[in-house]
Amino acid sequence: MLTPLCQTSSTTMLPRLSRRFATMQPQLAGSGHRWLPWAAAATAAAGVVSYTYTGRKSLACEQKPLLVCGSLNADIIIEINRFPKKGETLSARSPDTGIMVPGGKGANQAVAAARLSAGTGRQAKFVCQFGNDSHAFKLEQVLREKEVDIGNCGRSNKPSGQAFIFLEEDGSNSILIVGGSNVAWPKDVNAFAQQIRGASAVLLQREIPEYVNEAVSEVAVKAGVPVIQDVGGEERDFSDAHLKRLTYICPNETELERLTGMPTSTQEEVVAAAKSLQKRGVKNVLCTLGADGAVLVGPDGSVLRQPGIAVPGGKVVDTTGAGDCFRAAFAVAMVEGKPLEECLKFAAAAGAITVSRYGAVPSLPERKETDALAHWRGAAAS
């Protein structure tokens, strides 16, 4: 009977596995496998005995949590036929619209990570700033129900952040954000620095102050923790210092165009823009393309293309939160040590399920249905 790694002495297994990995590297590098040289961070995050690309040791069978630092919003969804013109008053498409549902890019990713990690033993932790209003109580309740660890969240003296989501009949949306408590972060990250250092990976977005993202990435990179940066949120540039600390930067094609000033109308243009962004120091660029899937450009210039996966039921209901879910799903698969092709396929399946449902947090998929769609469709990256 095989002995699980967690029941084997690390003092005996570490040298043995380190030697084995060293002998495997030349074979793997020449075998066409795409997970090198990106695999080290994912291997460590998955809990395999190894040394990460930073030299930090990872312990056997350790299930380090995924950490999301970001925004939490009360989403007010308003269904419309079209936007009113200047001076015009229109009725909403549905008389029952305008309800509040939990959202915010950070909360979306935290709940998605929790659902997609269910049954694996890995926990999703979320650090945000709760507001001082009635929305905050409801938002906190939902996060606890979704089994997201919120033990390190703060509380501000501002109302909860809000997002007014104008949802058109074809499922597309336009969003207006009111920052509220999302802009009321402390001046440093000392209160949750230990959680950053102990994470398998950290996910960031841009609906919170930039100094928070900068500080989190600085702590993470010193501890050898991969950092995944979502570009969505406030429109602003990144510092070169921050970009160099990122393991993955994740724009959509519009955000990539804004960051680089280059066209992104075709996949070839997306790849060229991604490589331009890499010149500023970021390692990997993962660009989502809506219904067309995603493109991943690695630090060595290699390209993985993930086709879009057909939406269950054949109809796009609401695209809110789809990109957040895609990135969280990619992170979940990455820290489990899956090959990058599998990470992309898993993420594409999760995103496809999300757009088939209404709302942000309410639409996020479970692990079982995401696995089923990824394997049933078989839309592999190339």
Side-chain angles (χ1 to χ4, degrees), residues 242-310:
H242 182 65
L243 287 175
K244 290 172 183 174
R245 293 192 288 262
L246 302 181
T247 314
Y248 289 88
I249 190 168
C250 305
N252 60 29
E253 67 268 46
T254 303
E255 292 159 348
L256 181 60
E257 180 178 3
R258 188 174 70 233
L259 279 174
T260 62
M262 298 175 64
T264 57
S265 299
T266 67
Q267 289 198 17
E268 289 70 25
E269 290 177 343
V270 166
V271 171
K275 291 181 177 180
S276 171
L277 186 57
Q278 286 176 320
K279 293 178 182 178
R280 295 181 60 187
V282 69
K283 300 173 184 65
N284 303 279
V285 180
L286 174 54
C287 184
T288 50
L289 307 172
D292 293 329
V295 171
L296 173 59
V297 181
D300 58 354
S302 58
V303 179
L304 282 177
R305 303 174 193 268
Q306 171 61 50
I309 292 181

Side-chain angles (χ1 to χ4, degrees), residues 169-238:
E169 195 168 5
D170 64 358
S172 60
N173 61 55
S174 300
I175 303 174
L176 181 66
I177 292 175
V178 180
S181 59
N182 291 316
V183 300
W185 283 69
K187 294 301 181 183
D188 57 54
V189 298
N190 294 339
F192 57 97
Q194 192 57 40
Q195 283 65 41
I196 299 171
R197 298 186 188 101
S200 58
V202 176
L203 289 88
L204 302 172
Q205 319 82 40
R206 312 202 83 190
E207 292 179 343
I208 61 175
E210 192 66 14
Y211 72 83
V212 179
N213 286 340
E214 293 260 2
V216 170
S217 69
E218 187 172 0
V219 173
V221 76
K222 288 179 179 178
V225 176
V227 180
I228 301 172
Q229 174 74 66
D230 188 334
V231 176
E234 186 177 339
E235 186 175 338
R236 58 198 182 210
D237 197 13
F238 290 98

Side-chain angles (χ1 to χ4, degrees), residues 83-229:
F83 284 96
K85 298 176 182 178
K86 185 176 181 179
E88 182 183 24
T89 300
L90 292 177
S91 295
R93 179 157 45 91
S94 167
D96 300 322
T97 194
I99 61 172
M100 190 279 282
V101 296
K105 297 185 74 63
N108 295 343
Q109 292 183 6
V111 173
R115 286 186 171 180
L116 295 170
S117 298
T120 68
R122 191 181 308 280
Q123 192 175 39
K125 292 190 174 186
F126 182 39
V127 178
C128 70
Q129 299 298 309
F130 286 107
N132 62 358
D133 56 2
S134 59
H135 286 322
F137 175 79
K138 176 62 176 177
L139 294 170
E140 181 176 352
Q141 183 182 35
V142 170
L143 289 170
R144 292 189 187 279
E145 289 172 354
K146 303 303 181 186
E147 299 185 349
V148 176
D149 185 328
I150 55 174
N152 292 98
C153 292
R155 296 187 182 275
S156 77
N157 60 358
K158 292 181 178 291
S160 299
Q162 295 184 71
F164 295 90
I165 301 171
F166 301 95
L167 180 63
E168 300 186 61
E169 195 168 5
D170 64 358
S172 60
N173 61 55
S174 300
I175 303 174
L176 181 66
I177 292 175
V178 180
S181 59
N182 291 316
V183 300
W185 283 69
K187 294 301 181 183
D188 57 54
V189 298
N190 294 339
F192 57 97
Q194 192 57 40
Q195 283 65 41
I196 299 171
R197 298 186 188 101
S200 58
V202 176
L203 289 88
L204 302 172
Q205 319 82 40
R206 312 202 83 190
E207 292 179 343
I208 61 175
E210 192 66 14
Y211 72 83
V212 179
N213 286 340
E214 293 260 2
V216 170
S217 69
E218 187 172 0
V219 173
V221 76
K222 288 179 179 178
V225 176
V227 180
I228 301 172
Q229 174 74 66

